[in-house]
Short mmCIF file of all heavy atoms in Angstrom, two decimals:
data_model
loop_
_atom_site.label_atom_id
_atom_site.label_comp_id
_atom_site.label_asym_id
_atom_site.label_seq_id
_atom_site.Cartn_x
_atom_site.Cartn_y
_atom_site.Cartn_z
N MET A 1416 115.81 25.39 -79.61
CA MET A 1416 117.16 25.48 -79.11
C MET A 1416 118.08 25.51 -80.31
O MET A 1416 118.06 24.61 -81.14
CB MET A 1416 117.42 24.31 -78.21
CG MET A 1416 118.89 24.31 -77.66
SD MET A 1416 119.27 22.81 -76.71
CE MET A 1416 118.23 23.00 -75.28
N PRO A 1417 118.96 26.48 -80.40
CA PRO A 1417 119.87 26.55 -81.60
C PRO A 1417 120.97 25.44 -81.46
O PRO A 1417 121.40 25.11 -80.36
CB PRO A 1417 120.48 27.93 -81.47
CG PRO A 1417 120.26 28.35 -80.06
CD PRO A 1417 119.11 27.64 -79.51
N THR A 1418 121.39 24.97 -82.57
CA THR A 1418 122.45 23.97 -82.62
C THR A 1418 123.55 24.44 -83.56
O THR A 1418 123.34 25.31 -84.41
CB THR A 1418 121.97 22.57 -83.07
OG1 THR A 1418 121.49 22.74 -84.44
CG2 THR A 1418 120.88 22.07 -82.22
N GLU A 1419 124.72 23.90 -83.38
CA GLU A 1419 125.81 24.17 -84.28
C GLU A 1419 125.50 23.51 -85.63
O GLU A 1419 124.88 22.45 -85.68
CB GLU A 1419 127.09 23.60 -83.74
CG GLU A 1419 127.53 24.25 -82.45
CD GLU A 1419 128.76 23.55 -81.88
OE1 GLU A 1419 129.62 23.09 -82.65
OE2 GLU A 1419 128.84 23.48 -80.67
N PRO A 1420 125.97 24.11 -86.72
CA PRO A 1420 125.75 23.47 -88.01
C PRO A 1420 126.33 22.07 -88.10
O PRO A 1420 127.42 21.83 -87.59
CB PRO A 1420 126.50 24.43 -89.00
CG PRO A 1420 126.60 25.70 -88.27
CD PRO A 1420 126.66 25.39 -86.82
N GLY A 1421 125.55 21.19 -88.63
CA GLY A 1421 126.02 19.77 -88.71
C GLY A 1421 125.80 18.95 -87.48
O GLY A 1421 126.15 17.79 -87.44
N ARG A 1422 125.29 19.57 -86.38
CA ARG A 1422 125.04 18.80 -85.18
C ARG A 1422 123.57 18.82 -84.88
O ARG A 1422 123.03 19.88 -84.55
CB ARG A 1422 125.84 19.41 -84.03
CG ARG A 1422 127.35 19.30 -84.22
CD ARG A 1422 128.04 19.66 -82.95
NE ARG A 1422 127.70 18.70 -81.93
CZ ARG A 1422 128.10 18.86 -80.68
NH1 ARG A 1422 128.77 19.85 -80.31
NH2 ARG A 1422 127.79 17.91 -79.75
N ASP A 1423 122.96 17.70 -84.92
CA ASP A 1423 121.53 17.54 -84.63
C ASP A 1423 121.36 17.24 -83.17
O ASP A 1423 122.17 16.53 -82.57
CB ASP A 1423 120.90 16.50 -85.47
CG ASP A 1423 120.90 16.84 -86.93
OD1 ASP A 1423 120.88 18.04 -87.26
OD2 ASP A 1423 120.97 15.88 -87.77
N ILE A 1424 120.28 17.67 -82.60
CA ILE A 1424 119.90 17.28 -81.24
C ILE A 1424 119.23 15.95 -81.28
O ILE A 1424 118.30 15.75 -82.06
CB ILE A 1424 118.98 18.34 -80.61
CG1 ILE A 1424 119.78 19.65 -80.37
CG2 ILE A 1424 118.40 17.82 -79.28
CD1 ILE A 1424 118.98 20.78 -79.81
N ARG A 1425 119.67 15.06 -80.45
CA ARG A 1425 119.05 13.74 -80.36
C ARG A 1425 118.11 13.71 -79.16
O ARG A 1425 118.46 14.21 -78.11
CB ARG A 1425 120.06 12.61 -80.14
CG ARG A 1425 121.16 12.56 -81.15
CD ARG A 1425 120.73 11.64 -82.28
NE ARG A 1425 121.65 11.75 -83.33
CZ ARG A 1425 122.15 10.72 -83.97
NH1 ARG A 1425 121.70 9.50 -83.66
NH2 ARG A 1425 122.94 10.90 -84.97
N LYS A 1426 116.95 13.12 -79.36
CA LYS A 1426 116.03 13.06 -78.30
C LYS A 1426 116.25 11.74 -77.48
O LYS A 1426 116.40 10.67 -78.05
CB LYS A 1426 114.55 13.06 -78.79
CG LYS A 1426 113.55 13.06 -77.71
CD LYS A 1426 112.20 13.54 -78.27
CE LYS A 1426 111.35 12.33 -78.54
NZ LYS A 1426 109.99 12.72 -79.02
N VAL A 1427 116.30 11.87 -76.15
CA VAL A 1427 116.46 10.75 -75.23
C VAL A 1427 115.24 10.78 -74.33
O VAL A 1427 114.99 11.74 -73.67
CB VAL A 1427 117.73 10.85 -74.40
CG1 VAL A 1427 117.84 9.69 -73.42
CG2 VAL A 1427 118.99 10.89 -75.31
N THR A 1428 114.52 9.66 -74.32
CA THR A 1428 113.33 9.55 -73.49
C THR A 1428 113.55 8.54 -72.40
O THR A 1428 113.84 7.37 -72.68
CB THR A 1428 112.09 9.12 -74.37
OG1 THR A 1428 111.94 10.02 -75.45
CG2 THR A 1428 110.86 9.08 -73.56
N LEU A 1429 113.41 8.97 -71.16
CA LEU A 1429 113.57 8.07 -70.02
C LEU A 1429 112.20 7.49 -69.67
O LEU A 1429 111.23 8.24 -69.61
CB LEU A 1429 114.16 8.81 -68.86
CG LEU A 1429 115.49 9.48 -69.04
CD1 LEU A 1429 115.96 10.21 -67.80
CD2 LEU A 1429 116.57 8.45 -69.43
N THR A 1430 112.20 6.22 -69.46
CA THR A 1430 110.95 5.56 -69.11
C THR A 1430 110.97 5.29 -67.60
O THR A 1430 112.06 5.23 -67.00
CB THR A 1430 110.69 4.24 -69.85
OG1 THR A 1430 111.75 3.34 -69.59
CG2 THR A 1430 110.73 4.54 -71.38
N ARG A 1431 109.79 5.13 -66.99
CA ARG A 1431 109.77 5.03 -65.53
C ARG A 1431 110.53 3.83 -65.01
O ARG A 1431 111.35 3.93 -64.11
CB ARG A 1431 108.32 4.96 -65.05
CG ARG A 1431 108.18 4.85 -63.57
CD ARG A 1431 106.77 5.04 -63.10
NE ARG A 1431 106.26 6.32 -63.36
CZ ARG A 1431 106.42 7.42 -62.57
NH1 ARG A 1431 107.12 7.30 -61.51
NH2 ARG A 1431 105.90 8.56 -62.93
N ASP A 1432 110.26 2.65 -65.49
CA ASP A 1432 110.89 1.46 -64.94
C ASP A 1432 111.62 0.64 -66.02
O ASP A 1432 111.94 -0.54 -65.77
CB ASP A 1432 109.81 0.54 -64.31
CG ASP A 1432 109.20 1.18 -63.10
OD1 ASP A 1432 109.96 1.80 -62.32
OD2 ASP A 1432 107.97 1.12 -62.99
N GLY A 1433 111.86 1.24 -67.16
CA GLY A 1433 112.48 0.48 -68.24
C GLY A 1433 113.68 1.22 -68.84
O GLY A 1433 114.41 1.91 -68.15
N PRO A 1434 113.82 1.08 -70.12
CA PRO A 1434 115.01 1.59 -70.77
C PRO A 1434 114.98 3.11 -71.07
O PRO A 1434 113.95 3.71 -70.92
CB PRO A 1434 115.05 0.81 -72.10
CG PRO A 1434 113.59 0.61 -72.42
CD PRO A 1434 112.92 0.36 -71.08
N ALA A 1435 116.09 3.63 -71.49
CA ALA A 1435 116.17 4.96 -72.09
C ALA A 1435 116.03 4.75 -73.60
O ALA A 1435 116.70 3.89 -74.18
CB ALA A 1435 117.48 5.63 -71.78
N LEU A 1436 115.16 5.48 -74.20
CA LEU A 1436 114.88 5.39 -75.65
C LEU A 1436 115.61 6.55 -76.32
O LEU A 1436 115.40 7.69 -76.06
CB LEU A 1436 113.40 5.46 -75.95
CG LEU A 1436 112.54 4.43 -75.21
CD1 LEU A 1436 111.06 4.68 -75.48
CD2 LEU A 1436 112.98 3.01 -75.59
N ILE A 1437 116.53 6.17 -77.24
CA ILE A 1437 117.43 7.15 -77.89
C ILE A 1437 117.24 7.04 -79.38
O ILE A 1437 117.23 5.94 -79.92
CB ILE A 1437 118.89 6.92 -77.49
CG1 ILE A 1437 119.06 6.99 -76.00
CG2 ILE A 1437 119.82 7.85 -78.21
CD1 ILE A 1437 120.41 6.57 -75.49
N GLU A 1438 117.15 8.19 -80.03
CA GLU A 1438 117.05 8.20 -81.49
C GLU A 1438 118.36 7.75 -82.07
O GLU A 1438 119.40 8.30 -81.71
CB GLU A 1438 116.69 9.61 -81.96
CG GLU A 1438 115.28 10.01 -81.57
CD GLU A 1438 114.92 11.41 -82.09
OE1 GLU A 1438 115.77 12.09 -82.65
OE2 GLU A 1438 113.76 11.76 -81.91
N GLY A 1439 118.35 6.71 -82.94
CA GLY A 1439 119.52 6.21 -83.54
C GLY A 1439 119.81 6.84 -84.89
O GLY A 1439 119.04 7.71 -85.32
N PRO A 1440 120.91 6.49 -85.53
CA PRO A 1440 121.90 5.47 -85.07
C PRO A 1440 122.77 6.10 -83.97
O PRO A 1440 122.96 7.29 -83.87
CB PRO A 1440 122.72 5.21 -86.35
CG PRO A 1440 122.58 6.44 -87.15
CD PRO A 1440 121.27 7.02 -86.84
N VAL A 1441 123.33 5.18 -83.12
CA VAL A 1441 124.16 5.60 -82.02
C VAL A 1441 125.32 4.63 -81.84
O VAL A 1441 125.28 3.49 -82.23
CB VAL A 1441 123.38 5.63 -80.64
CG1 VAL A 1441 122.36 6.70 -80.65
CG2 VAL A 1441 122.83 4.29 -80.32
N GLU A 1442 126.39 5.15 -81.26
CA GLU A 1442 127.50 4.32 -80.80
C GLU A 1442 127.58 4.49 -79.29
O GLU A 1442 127.62 5.62 -78.81
CB GLU A 1442 128.85 4.71 -81.42
CG GLU A 1442 129.95 3.80 -80.97
CD GLU A 1442 131.30 4.14 -81.65
OE1 GLU A 1442 131.56 3.59 -82.69
OE2 GLU A 1442 132.00 4.95 -81.06
N ILE A 1443 127.59 3.36 -78.58
CA ILE A 1443 127.58 3.42 -77.12
C ILE A 1443 128.86 2.83 -76.62
O ILE A 1443 129.30 1.76 -77.11
CB ILE A 1443 126.42 2.60 -76.61
CG1 ILE A 1443 125.08 3.20 -77.11
CG2 ILE A 1443 126.43 2.48 -75.10
CD1 ILE A 1443 124.11 2.19 -77.54
N VAL A 1444 129.48 3.48 -75.70
CA VAL A 1444 130.72 2.99 -75.06
C VAL A 1444 130.32 2.55 -73.63
O VAL A 1444 129.82 3.35 -72.85
CB VAL A 1444 131.81 4.02 -75.02
CG1 VAL A 1444 133.06 3.45 -74.35
CG2 VAL A 1444 132.18 4.48 -76.42
N THR A 1445 130.51 1.28 -73.34
CA THR A 1445 130.12 0.73 -72.05
C THR A 1445 131.20 1.05 -70.99
O THR A 1445 132.31 1.50 -71.37
CB THR A 1445 129.91 -0.83 -72.13
OG1 THR A 1445 131.14 -1.40 -72.55
CG2 THR A 1445 128.82 -1.14 -73.08
N ASP A 1446 130.90 0.73 -69.77
CA ASP A 1446 131.83 1.07 -68.67
C ASP A 1446 133.15 0.25 -68.74
O ASP A 1446 134.13 0.65 -68.08
CB ASP A 1446 131.16 0.94 -67.32
CG ASP A 1446 130.52 -0.41 -67.09
OD1 ASP A 1446 130.52 -1.21 -68.05
OD2 ASP A 1446 130.10 -0.67 -65.98
N ASP A 1447 133.18 -0.82 -69.53
CA ASP A 1447 134.40 -1.54 -69.72
C ASP A 1447 135.14 -1.19 -71.03
O ASP A 1447 136.10 -1.80 -71.41
CB ASP A 1447 134.19 -3.08 -69.65
CG ASP A 1447 133.25 -3.58 -70.77
OD1 ASP A 1447 132.80 -2.74 -71.59
OD2 ASP A 1447 133.01 -4.80 -70.81
N GLY A 1448 134.68 -0.09 -71.60
CA GLY A 1448 135.35 0.43 -72.79
C GLY A 1448 134.93 -0.16 -74.11
O GLY A 1448 135.44 0.19 -75.18
N ARG A 1449 133.98 -1.09 -74.09
CA ARG A 1449 133.50 -1.74 -75.33
C ARG A 1449 132.56 -0.78 -76.09
O ARG A 1449 131.72 -0.15 -75.46
CB ARG A 1449 132.76 -3.02 -74.97
CG ARG A 1449 132.29 -3.83 -76.12
CD ARG A 1449 131.73 -5.16 -75.55
NE ARG A 1449 130.75 -4.97 -74.55
CZ ARG A 1449 129.45 -5.27 -74.77
NH1 ARG A 1449 129.00 -5.73 -75.89
NH2 ARG A 1449 128.58 -5.07 -73.78
N ALA A 1450 132.81 -0.64 -77.36
CA ALA A 1450 132.00 0.26 -78.20
C ALA A 1450 131.03 -0.62 -78.99
O ALA A 1450 131.45 -1.57 -79.66
CB ALA A 1450 132.84 1.12 -79.15
N VAL A 1451 129.74 -0.32 -78.94
CA VAL A 1451 128.73 -1.03 -79.70
C VAL A 1451 127.89 -0.01 -80.45
O VAL A 1451 127.68 1.11 -80.01
CB VAL A 1451 127.85 -1.93 -78.81
CG1 VAL A 1451 128.60 -3.06 -78.25
CG2 VAL A 1451 127.19 -1.11 -77.71
N ARG A 1452 127.46 -0.42 -81.65
CA ARG A 1452 126.72 0.48 -82.50
C ARG A 1452 125.36 -0.10 -82.79
O ARG A 1452 125.18 -1.29 -82.94
CB ARG A 1452 127.49 0.67 -83.80
CG ARG A 1452 126.84 1.65 -84.74
CD ARG A 1452 127.60 1.74 -86.06
NE ARG A 1452 126.80 2.39 -87.09
CZ ARG A 1452 126.98 3.62 -87.43
NH1 ARG A 1452 128.00 4.35 -86.97
NH2 ARG A 1452 126.18 4.16 -88.30
N SER A 1453 124.39 0.81 -82.94
CA SER A 1453 123.05 0.39 -83.39
C SER A 1453 122.59 1.40 -84.38
O SER A 1453 122.74 2.60 -84.27
CB SER A 1453 122.07 0.40 -82.22
OG SER A 1453 120.73 0.10 -82.68
N ASP A 1454 122.08 0.83 -85.51
CA ASP A 1454 121.57 1.67 -86.59
C ASP A 1454 120.02 1.78 -86.53
O ASP A 1454 119.42 2.31 -87.47
CB ASP A 1454 121.99 1.13 -87.95
CG ASP A 1454 123.49 1.23 -88.14
OD1 ASP A 1454 124.07 2.25 -87.74
OD2 ASP A 1454 124.09 0.30 -88.69
N ARG A 1455 119.45 1.30 -85.46
CA ARG A 1455 117.96 1.35 -85.38
C ARG A 1455 117.48 2.80 -85.25
O ARG A 1455 118.21 3.68 -84.81
CB ARG A 1455 117.49 0.62 -84.15
CG ARG A 1455 117.65 -0.87 -84.24
CD ARG A 1455 117.16 -1.56 -83.02
NE ARG A 1455 116.99 -2.96 -83.27
CZ ARG A 1455 116.08 -3.74 -82.72
NH1 ARG A 1455 115.24 -3.19 -81.82
NH2 ARG A 1455 115.99 -4.96 -83.01
N PHE A 1456 116.27 2.97 -85.67
CA PHE A 1456 115.64 4.31 -85.60
C PHE A 1456 115.45 4.78 -84.13
O PHE A 1456 115.73 5.92 -83.77
CB PHE A 1456 114.30 4.28 -86.29
CG PHE A 1456 113.64 5.59 -86.40
CD1 PHE A 1456 114.13 6.57 -87.22
CD2 PHE A 1456 112.48 5.86 -85.66
CE1 PHE A 1456 113.49 7.87 -87.27
CE2 PHE A 1456 111.86 7.08 -85.77
CZ PHE A 1456 112.37 8.07 -86.55
N ILE A 1457 115.06 3.84 -83.27
CA ILE A 1457 114.97 4.07 -81.89
C ILE A 1457 115.74 2.96 -81.14
O ILE A 1457 115.48 1.76 -81.42
CB ILE A 1457 113.50 4.09 -81.33
CG1 ILE A 1457 112.72 5.21 -81.95
CG2 ILE A 1457 113.46 4.19 -79.80
CD1 ILE A 1457 113.08 6.60 -81.47
N VAL A 1458 116.62 3.33 -80.28
CA VAL A 1458 117.47 2.36 -79.57
C VAL A 1458 117.02 2.37 -78.09
O VAL A 1458 116.99 3.45 -77.45
CB VAL A 1458 118.94 2.70 -79.66
CG1 VAL A 1458 119.81 1.68 -78.93
CG2 VAL A 1458 119.36 2.81 -81.16
N ALA A 1459 116.75 1.17 -77.53
CA ALA A 1459 116.36 1.04 -76.13
C ALA A 1459 117.62 0.63 -75.33
O ALA A 1459 118.11 -0.48 -75.50
CB ALA A 1459 115.28 0.03 -75.97
N LEU A 1460 118.13 1.52 -74.46
CA LEU A 1460 119.27 1.24 -73.66
C LEU A 1460 118.84 0.77 -72.30
O LEU A 1460 118.05 1.40 -71.62
CB LEU A 1460 120.15 2.54 -73.50
CG LEU A 1460 121.05 2.89 -74.68
CD1 LEU A 1460 121.94 4.01 -74.23
CD2 LEU A 1460 121.84 1.71 -75.12
N CYS A 1461 119.43 -0.31 -71.88
CA CYS A 1461 119.12 -0.90 -70.56
C CYS A 1461 119.65 -0.02 -69.44
O CYS A 1461 120.82 0.33 -69.42
CB CYS A 1461 119.68 -2.30 -70.48
SG CYS A 1461 119.47 -3.07 -68.86
N LEU A 1462 118.77 0.32 -68.53
CA LEU A 1462 119.18 1.09 -67.33
C LEU A 1462 119.14 0.19 -66.05
O LEU A 1462 119.63 0.60 -65.02
CB LEU A 1462 118.31 2.30 -67.09
CG LEU A 1462 118.35 3.30 -68.24
CD1 LEU A 1462 117.43 4.49 -67.91
CD2 LEU A 1462 119.74 3.82 -68.51
N CYS A 1463 118.53 -0.99 -66.16
CA CYS A 1463 118.37 -1.86 -64.99
C CYS A 1463 119.53 -2.80 -64.84
O CYS A 1463 119.66 -3.47 -63.78
CB CYS A 1463 117.06 -2.57 -65.04
SG CYS A 1463 117.01 -3.97 -66.16
N ARG A 1464 120.32 -3.03 -65.88
CA ARG A 1464 121.47 -3.94 -65.84
C ARG A 1464 121.04 -5.41 -65.84
O ARG A 1464 121.91 -6.29 -65.54
CB ARG A 1464 122.39 -3.63 -64.65
CG ARG A 1464 123.09 -2.34 -64.79
CD ARG A 1464 124.39 -2.60 -65.45
NE ARG A 1464 125.27 -1.44 -65.44
CZ ARG A 1464 126.50 -1.47 -65.75
NH1 ARG A 1464 127.06 -2.64 -66.03
NH2 ARG A 1464 127.26 -0.40 -65.81
N ARG A 1465 119.79 -5.73 -66.09
CA ARG A 1465 119.38 -7.14 -66.09
C ARG A 1465 119.35 -7.72 -67.46
O ARG A 1465 119.11 -8.90 -67.65
CB ARG A 1465 118.03 -7.26 -65.44
CG ARG A 1465 118.10 -7.15 -63.94
CD ARG A 1465 116.79 -7.42 -63.34
NE ARG A 1465 116.04 -6.17 -63.20
CZ ARG A 1465 114.77 -6.08 -62.94
NH1 ARG A 1465 114.02 -7.16 -62.76
NH2 ARG A 1465 114.17 -4.89 -62.78
N SER A 1466 119.59 -6.94 -68.53
CA SER A 1466 119.53 -7.40 -69.87
C SER A 1466 120.62 -8.41 -70.23
O SER A 1466 121.80 -8.23 -69.83
CB SER A 1466 119.62 -6.19 -70.87
OG SER A 1466 119.67 -6.69 -72.20
N ASN A 1467 120.25 -9.44 -70.92
CA ASN A 1467 121.25 -10.39 -71.42
C ASN A 1467 121.93 -9.87 -72.71
O ASN A 1467 122.82 -10.52 -73.20
CB ASN A 1467 120.57 -11.76 -71.75
CG ASN A 1467 120.15 -12.44 -70.47
OD1 ASN A 1467 120.89 -12.50 -69.49
ND2 ASN A 1467 118.99 -13.04 -70.51
N ASP A 1468 121.44 -8.75 -73.19
CA ASP A 1468 122.03 -8.10 -74.37
C ASP A 1468 122.50 -6.71 -74.02
O ASP A 1468 122.51 -5.81 -74.86
CB ASP A 1468 120.90 -8.03 -75.48
CG ASP A 1468 121.47 -7.65 -76.78
OD1 ASP A 1468 122.66 -7.95 -77.06
OD2 ASP A 1468 120.70 -7.04 -77.56
N TYR A 1469 122.97 -6.52 -72.76
CA TYR A 1469 123.41 -5.24 -72.28
C TYR A 1469 124.50 -4.69 -73.24
O TYR A 1469 125.33 -5.45 -73.65
CB TYR A 1469 124.00 -5.35 -70.84
CG TYR A 1469 124.36 -4.06 -70.27
CD1 TYR A 1469 123.36 -3.27 -69.67
CD2 TYR A 1469 125.63 -3.56 -70.33
CE1 TYR A 1469 123.66 -2.04 -69.12
CE2 TYR A 1469 125.96 -2.31 -69.78
CZ TYR A 1469 124.95 -1.59 -69.19
OH TYR A 1469 125.25 -0.37 -68.65
N PRO A 1470 124.48 -3.48 -73.64
CA PRO A 1470 123.75 -2.32 -73.06
C PRO A 1470 122.36 -2.10 -73.62
O PRO A 1470 121.72 -1.10 -73.34
CB PRO A 1470 124.68 -1.13 -73.39
CG PRO A 1470 125.22 -1.48 -74.69
CD PRO A 1470 125.44 -3.02 -74.64
N PHE A 1471 121.90 -3.02 -74.48
CA PHE A 1471 120.55 -2.87 -75.06
C PHE A 1471 119.50 -3.54 -74.15
O PHE A 1471 119.77 -4.61 -73.58
CB PHE A 1471 120.49 -3.42 -76.48
CG PHE A 1471 121.49 -2.79 -77.38
CD1 PHE A 1471 122.62 -3.51 -77.82
CD2 PHE A 1471 121.39 -1.47 -77.76
CE1 PHE A 1471 123.56 -2.91 -78.64
CE2 PHE A 1471 122.33 -0.88 -78.55
CZ PHE A 1471 123.41 -1.57 -79.00
N CYS A 1472 118.33 -3.02 -74.10
CA CYS A 1472 117.22 -3.58 -73.34
C CYS A 1472 116.71 -4.86 -74.06
O CYS A 1472 116.51 -4.82 -75.30
CB CYS A 1472 116.11 -2.56 -73.21
SG CYS A 1472 114.63 -3.21 -72.49
N ASP A 1473 116.49 -5.92 -73.31
CA ASP A 1473 115.86 -7.11 -73.89
C ASP A 1473 114.55 -7.41 -73.16
O ASP A 1473 114.05 -8.52 -73.20
CB ASP A 1473 116.81 -8.34 -73.80
CG ASP A 1473 117.05 -8.79 -72.36
OD1 ASP A 1473 116.56 -8.13 -71.47
OD2 ASP A 1473 117.72 -9.86 -72.21
N THR A 1474 114.00 -6.45 -72.50
CA THR A 1474 112.75 -6.49 -71.73
C THR A 1474 112.86 -7.24 -70.42
O THR A 1474 111.87 -7.54 -69.78
CB THR A 1474 111.52 -6.96 -72.53
OG1 THR A 1474 111.66 -8.35 -72.78
CG2 THR A 1474 111.34 -6.24 -73.80
N SER A 1475 114.08 -7.60 -70.00
CA SER A 1475 114.23 -8.31 -68.74
C SER A 1475 113.75 -7.46 -67.59
O SER A 1475 113.44 -8.00 -66.48
CB SER A 1475 115.69 -8.67 -68.52
OG SER A 1475 116.12 -9.68 -69.43
N HIS A 1476 113.71 -6.17 -67.70
CA HIS A 1476 113.23 -5.30 -66.63
C HIS A 1476 111.78 -5.59 -66.29
O HIS A 1476 111.35 -5.27 -65.19
CB HIS A 1476 113.37 -3.84 -67.05
CG HIS A 1476 112.58 -3.41 -68.22
ND1 HIS A 1476 113.03 -3.53 -69.52
CD2 HIS A 1476 111.29 -2.97 -68.31
CE1 HIS A 1476 112.07 -3.14 -70.31
NE2 HIS A 1476 111.03 -2.76 -69.58
N ARG A 1477 111.05 -6.26 -67.17
CA ARG A 1477 109.65 -6.55 -66.91
C ARG A 1477 109.46 -7.65 -65.88
O ARG A 1477 108.41 -7.80 -65.28
CB ARG A 1477 108.91 -6.91 -68.18
CG ARG A 1477 108.85 -5.78 -69.13
CD ARG A 1477 108.19 -6.21 -70.38
NE ARG A 1477 108.16 -5.17 -71.39
CZ ARG A 1477 107.93 -5.34 -72.69
NH1 ARG A 1477 107.66 -6.56 -73.15
NH2 ARG A 1477 107.99 -4.31 -73.53
N ARG A 1478 110.47 -8.49 -65.71
CA ARG A 1478 110.35 -9.60 -64.78
C ARG A 1478 110.36 -9.08 -63.33
O ARG A 1478 111.18 -8.28 -63.02
CB ARG A 1478 111.53 -10.61 -64.95
CG ARG A 1478 111.40 -11.42 -66.18
CD ARG A 1478 112.48 -12.49 -66.22
NE ARG A 1478 113.01 -12.44 -67.57
CZ ARG A 1478 114.25 -12.39 -67.90
NH1 ARG A 1478 115.20 -12.37 -66.97
NH2 ARG A 1478 114.68 -12.34 -69.16
N ARG A 1479 109.45 -9.59 -62.63
CA ARG A 1479 109.35 -9.09 -61.23
C ARG A 1479 110.12 -10.00 -60.28
O ARG A 1479 110.25 -11.21 -60.54
CB ARG A 1479 107.86 -9.09 -60.79
CG ARG A 1479 107.10 -8.10 -61.58
CD ARG A 1479 105.79 -7.89 -60.94
NE ARG A 1479 105.10 -6.86 -61.76
CZ ARG A 1479 103.93 -6.46 -61.48
NH1 ARG A 1479 103.28 -6.89 -60.44
NH2 ARG A 1479 103.34 -5.51 -62.25
N ARG A 1480 110.66 -9.38 -59.27
CA ARG A 1480 111.37 -10.19 -58.26
C ARG A 1480 110.37 -10.74 -57.30
O ARG A 1480 109.37 -10.14 -57.00
CB ARG A 1480 112.31 -9.23 -57.48
CG ARG A 1480 113.51 -8.80 -58.24
CD ARG A 1480 114.42 -8.06 -57.38
NE ARG A 1480 115.50 -7.53 -58.17
CZ ARG A 1480 116.24 -6.49 -57.83
NH1 ARG A 1480 116.02 -5.91 -56.69
NH2 ARG A 1480 117.19 -6.06 -58.64
N ARG A 1481 110.70 -11.96 -56.80
CA ARG A 1481 109.84 -12.54 -55.80
C ARG A 1481 109.98 -11.74 -54.50
O ARG A 1481 111.07 -11.38 -54.16
CB ARG A 1481 110.21 -13.97 -55.58
CG ARG A 1481 110.02 -14.82 -56.85
CD ARG A 1481 110.33 -16.22 -56.54
NE ARG A 1481 109.09 -16.78 -55.94
CZ ARG A 1481 108.87 -18.06 -55.90
NH1 ARG A 1481 109.75 -18.91 -56.34
NH2 ARG A 1481 107.77 -18.54 -55.35
N THR A 1482 108.88 -11.58 -53.84
CA THR A 1482 108.96 -10.80 -52.58
C THR A 1482 108.99 -11.72 -51.38
O THR A 1482 109.07 -11.23 -50.26
CB THR A 1482 107.72 -9.87 -52.49
OG1 THR A 1482 106.55 -10.67 -52.66
CG2 THR A 1482 107.76 -8.81 -53.57
N GLU A 1483 108.93 -13.02 -51.56
CA GLU A 1483 108.96 -13.94 -50.41
C GLU A 1483 110.34 -14.26 -50.06
O GLU A 1483 111.25 -14.33 -50.80
CB GLU A 1483 108.25 -15.24 -50.82
CG GLU A 1483 106.78 -15.06 -51.09
CD GLU A 1483 106.12 -16.32 -51.61
OE1 GLU A 1483 106.43 -17.39 -51.07
OE2 GLU A 1483 105.37 -16.25 -52.58
S1 LIG B 2121 115.85 -1.70 -69.00
FE1 LIG B 2121 115.01 -3.32 -70.13
S2 LIG B 2121 116.28 -5.00 -69.57
FE2 LIG B 2121 117.08 -3.38 -68.46
#
């Protein structure tokens, strides 16, 4: 896929029940307008909203809910 000069395509990988994995570095703007930056090579963004480190995944999505 052709890109404009100076603009690289970033790969975003969606996982089935977990985070979106995004090639960093990235700046993320949350729904309340807060801007957060990560310089990691791969950034895991929380899609379940259970992370204590939202918008980043802290693996809280792995906890199962009780069915009783
Ligand atoms: S996706 Fe991992 S904590 Fe939400």
